[in-house]
Amino acid sequence: MRKYKLLSIILAFVLVFSLSVPTAHAAPSITVTTLSVDMSGAGKIIGYIQGAPKETEVTLLITCGSDIVHIDQITAGNNGSFLFKLKVNAKYSEKKINVNIGSNAGATPYSVTYTLPYMPPGFEHIDNNSVIYGHDAYTANSIYLADSLTVTDSIIYGGNIIYFKIGDKWYDLMNPKATSSAFFVAENATPNATVKAKTAPLRYYYYGGKIVDFAKE
Amino acid sequence: MDKKSIASGAAAVVLATGLALTPAVTDVDVTEPEVIEEVIIEETEVSEDAEEVTEESSKTEKTETEETKTEKPVITEPKQPHLEAEKPTYEDYTTEIGYSFTYESERAKTITIDVPDYLSADIVTMYVNGAEVNTVLLPGNPNFTTIPVVFEDLSNIEFKLYRMGEEIGTARFIDDILKTNAKAVE
């Protein structure tokens, strides 16, 4: 009888240890915390690779059917974090895209299907933190915004109209009240339809280092 | 098998089952359950109603004597602790963050901030009046370019610091010094 008693205790301990002994080292894993694309087509994907070694390379591939919508590679930052910024073409408006993220850290690739929002071309395709001079739009970081000749040309072509977009709202920088950041609150915003009418037809979008022709968009 | 041995065997199995059902602790599975704090906000409509009641009752009781008027219940404004809590004190904004400006042109200006490494932040987002200006990845000295007028009145600007998807604090300009309430990893 003692034999059975001993056997049952041994079996119980075997069962307990087999279920509770922790894994020595978990493989790196990819977690995405933010995946968003707004009406302008501006998107960002933020996440981290748990357990990633320093300088892990992270790759992003976004496809829509057989089309490559976006492809990029970056070095992971602190804590294995990554940030991808994208600008999705308006032609993919409301379509389903496949977002794939991989790395050289041995993590299982991350893959998800995401439905893009309504993204009309033209006026609505202008990002936040952009400015319109006349009929030309500029991102704030555009190299052309620093070029006086380009901006002067925009004003000569389209008139002395200057609007700034932030928080999906437009603000008239020619308004005498637009002297500080306190102006950029909803009650001071100009209706989108007004800005759209005054700046139409849009000519160029100086996007970072690129020039996008609105007519060919 | 005698009764004793059956009983001891059964006890061992119960013990084993109990321990086995306890979630295994691994070096990965350390996520603590999210604690959702329930905040009860008193509706201000109550006080408005209360004022209306006082007005109405004062009209109907115009004919009453002074004594009855004094007997009317005194309706005091309900305490609104949530409003007091919203007042920013910035007492916990103790860590300074260095910053500098660069004029790109008359039409663009850049702020560069120096987030201390010991905060282990990995993402910083800049906001003006709550609207996002830009998001950048750390390490390095993140810079944010926008139109110069945004930087007139720095009190409307804030930066949110994130660590592995969790917001760890906010940085604000307090008397033109950029300070954060983010804390280092313990």
Side-chain angles (χ1 to χ4, degrees):
Chain A
M1 292 302 145
R2 274 193 176 177
K3 206 168 108 186
Y4 288 112
K5 187 178 167 186
L6 193 65
L7 188 65
S8 62
I9 290 168
I10 290 167
L11 280 172
F13 275 95
V14 166
L15 180 68
V16 168
F17 280 99
S18 67
L19 291 169
S20 64
V21 170
T23 315
H25 289 288
S29 59
I30 298 173
T31 303
V32 170
T33 55
T34 303
L35 199 176
S36 65
V37 179
D38 67 20
M39 202 179 176
S40 72
K44 62 183 175 188
I45 299 170
I46 303 173
Y48 59 90
I49 303 176
Q50 183 115 37
K54 272 193 171 182
E55 300 188 351
T56 291
E57 292 298 312
V58 190
T59 54
L60 170 71
L61 172 66
I62 300 177
T63 56
C64 181
S66 57
D67 287 5
I68 292 177
V69 177
H70 189 89
I71 188 163
D72 200 358
Q73 181 170 323
I74 60 156
T75 305
N78 289 347
N79 311 315
S81 288
F82 55 83
L83 163 66
F84 290 105
K85 290 178 188 170
L86 30 139
K87 180 72 174 171
V88 182
N89 193 300
K91 72 179 181 181
Y92 297 110
S93 176
E94 298 180 281
K95 289 193 174 166
K96 282 186 179 176
I97 54 169
N98 293 308
V99 179
N100 303 285
I101 300 167
S103 74
N104 62 351
T108 305
Y110 175 92
S111 190
V112 72
T113 302
Y114 178 83
T115 305
L116 292 166
Y118 173 59
M119 305 184 302
F123 179 76
E124 282 81 7
H125 209 55
I126 299 171
D127 288 8
N128 281 307
N129 203 23
S130 291
V131 195
I132 292 180
Y133 283 88
H135 299 309
D136 295 331
Y138 297 76
T139 54
N141 66 350
S142 170
I143 56 168
Y144 297 99
L145 190 59
D147 178 16
S148 294
L149 287 175
T150 310
V151 177
T152 304
D153 176 65
S154 294
I155 293 169
I156 292 168
Y157 179 80
N160 206 12
I161 299 165
I162 312 172
Y163 287 102
F164 175 57
K165 186 182 181 185
I166 192 82
D168 296 326
K169 290 184 167 52
W170 287 96
Y171 297 90
D172 184 0
L173 295 186
M174 297 302 285
N175 187 321
K177 290 182 190 170
T179 55
S180 90
S181 55
F183 181 71
F184 303 120
V185 287
E187 55 263 37
N188 293 327
T190 306
N192 282 13
T194 307
V195 181
K196 191 174 181 177
K198 280 192 173 183
T199 57
L202 286 166
R203 186 175 59 160
Y204 299 126
Y205 192 5
Y206 295 96
Y207 198 90
K210 293 191 293 185
I211 304 174
V212 179
D213 188 338
F214 277 106
K216 293 175 185 171
E217 205 184 13
Chain B
M1 276 196 285
D2 62 356
K3 282 181 182 178
K4 277 183 181 179
S5 62
I6 291 167
S8 62
V13 170
V14 167
L15 174 71
T17 314
L19 288 169
L21 289 173
T22 310
V25 179
T26 67
D27 55 349
V28 179
D29 187 16
V30 292
T31 315
E32 288 181 12
E34 194 180 339
V35 179
I36 299 165
E37 199 173 313
E38 193 178 326
V39 180
I40 299 163
I41 300 169
E42 291 179 46
E43 288 187 20
T44 47
E45 281 176 18
V46 174
S47 60
E48 282 169 15
D49 290 344
E51 279 175 16
E52 281 172 24
V53 170
T54 3
E55 280 171 21
E56 280 175 20
S57 58
S58 63
K59 282 174 195 169
T60 53
E61 290 169 12
K62 271 182 183 176
T63 52
E64 287 178 17
T65 59
E66 285 296 315
E67 278 179 20
T68 48
K69 275 182 185 175
T70 52
E71 282 171 11
K72 279 196 294 183
V74 180
I75 299 167
T76 51
E77 284 280 315
K79 280 189 178 180
Q80 295 179 328
H82 62 288
L83 290 179
E84 286 167 20
E86 280 175 8
K87 284 180 186 172
T89 56
Y90 304 129
E91 280 172 4
D92 54 343
Y93 285 66
T94 51
T95 305
E96 276 191 37
I97 293 180
Y99 68 95
S100 61
F101 288 109
T102 312
Y103 285 89
E104 306 298 332
S105 70
E106 292 171 7
R107 294 164 295 277
K109 192 174 176 180
T110 298
I111 185 170
T112 304
I113 65 172
D114 183 13
V115 181
D117 289 343
Y118 62 81
L119 292 178
S120 288
D122 46 51
I123 297 281
V124 186
T125 303
M126 176 181 161
Y127 296 87
V128 57
N129 296 322
E132 185 179 331
V133 175
N134 203 359
T135 300
V136 295
L137 181 70
L138 294 171
N141 293 334
N143 53 62
F144 303 86
T145 303
T146 186
I147 57 170
V149 71
V150 166
F151 295 111
E152 298 296 329
D153 193 350
L154 296 173
S155 65
N156 298 314
I157 292 170
E158 67 174 12
F159 298 91
K160 285 187 178 171
L161 309 178
Y162 298 87
R163 184 191 300 143
M164 298 174 86
E166 299 283 331
E167 186 182 324
I168 57 164
T170 304
R172 298 192 64 90
F173 289 95
I174 302 161
D175 298 327
D176 285 351
I177 299 169
L178 185 59
K179 290 181 178 179
T180 181
N181 59 354
K183 301 285 180 268
V185 184
E186 288 178 8

